Amino acid sequence: NLRPGCVLAQGRRLEARPGIDAQHLRDVLAGLAVGIDGARREFRQIAGFYPEPQSEEQAVHSLEHGAVWIAYRPDLPEEQVDELRALAAQPFTLVTPVDGLPTDVVASAWGARIELDGVDDPRLLEFLEFFRQGPQTPEPGAPCTSGVGTPA
C-alpha cells in the first residue's frame, strides 16, 4: 500500500509532512519548483487541465480541499500531456505545466509529493488513488469545482 514515508519502486521515497496546517504552506512543497512563496490564496484553483502555468498559491489551496496537483515540464512530449489531460477529467485532479521541475512529472497532495520520470510510471495512478480526497485532506468534502481558472 502507498503510505507517506514508504520507499517506492526505483528507490524513490514518497515525501510526507504530516501535521501541516494553513499557516505552514511554505513547507508543503519545500525544495521543489512546485511550491509557494507565501500563504495560500483565498480562492482555490478549479480542478482540471491547464495548458499554461497557474498560481501555485491557488493550486495549494486546492490541495487543502483534497485535490492532487500533477505538475509537468512544459517540454513533456505531447502524447504524455494528452494522458495527463485525460487524468485531469477526474474530480479533484489539477494538471498544470511548471518550469524547473526536478523530473518530468511531480504529483503533490496536501503534505505529500512524488517525483516521476514520466506519465507511464505506475506510481502516478497509485498516488492519485491514495491521496485524492485522502486521509491527509484538511478540509474533506470542500469543493474544487469553484474558484479561479477555466480548465481547458
Side-chain angles (χ1 to χ4, degrees), residues 66-87:
V68 169
W69 179 16
I70 304 170
Y72 64 92
R73 286 184 176 164
D75 62 350
L76 194 69
E78 193 60 37
E79 60 273 7
Q80 290 192 45
V81 173
D82 289 342
E83 290 180 50
L84 292 176
R85 183 188 311 265
L87 290 176

Side-chain angles (χ1 to χ4, degrees), residues 105-124:
V105 177
V106 176
S108 303
W110 187 265
R113 70 172 173 257
I114 189 167
E115 299 173 3
L116 305 163
D117 291 324
V119 177
D120 59 347
D121 189 320
R123 297 174 299 159
L124 177 58

Side-chain angles (χ1 to χ4, degrees), residues 138-150:
E139 296 182 22
C144 281
T145 54
S146 61
V148 298
T150 304

Side-chain angles (χ1 to χ4, degrees), residues 31-57:
L32 286 183
V34 179
I36 59 170
D37 293 325
R40 69 166 171 77
R41 297 275 171 93
E42 179 179 356
F43 298 103
R44 74 206 135 272
Q45 191 74 40
I46 295 173
F49 177 84
Y50 294 86
E52 300 295 327
Q54 301 296 305
S55 163
E56 292 179 351
E57 294 89 350

Side-chain angles (χ1 to χ4, degrees), residues 84-137:
L84 292 176
R85 183 188 311 265
L87 290 176
Q90 300 174 23
F92 294 96
T93 306
L94 175 64
V95 177
T96 69
V98 173
D99 287 321
L101 292 176
T103 58
D104 286 343
V105 177
V106 176
S108 303
W110 187 265
R113 70 172 173 257
I114 189 167
E115 299 173 3
L116 305 163
D117 291 324
V119 177
D120 59 347
D121 189 320
R123 297 174 299 159
L124 177 58
L125 296 178
E126 291 174 13
F127 190 93
L128 277 168
E129 184 177 319
F130 184 82
F131 286 106
R132 191 175 36 225
Q133 285 286 283
Q136 81 294 341
T137 302

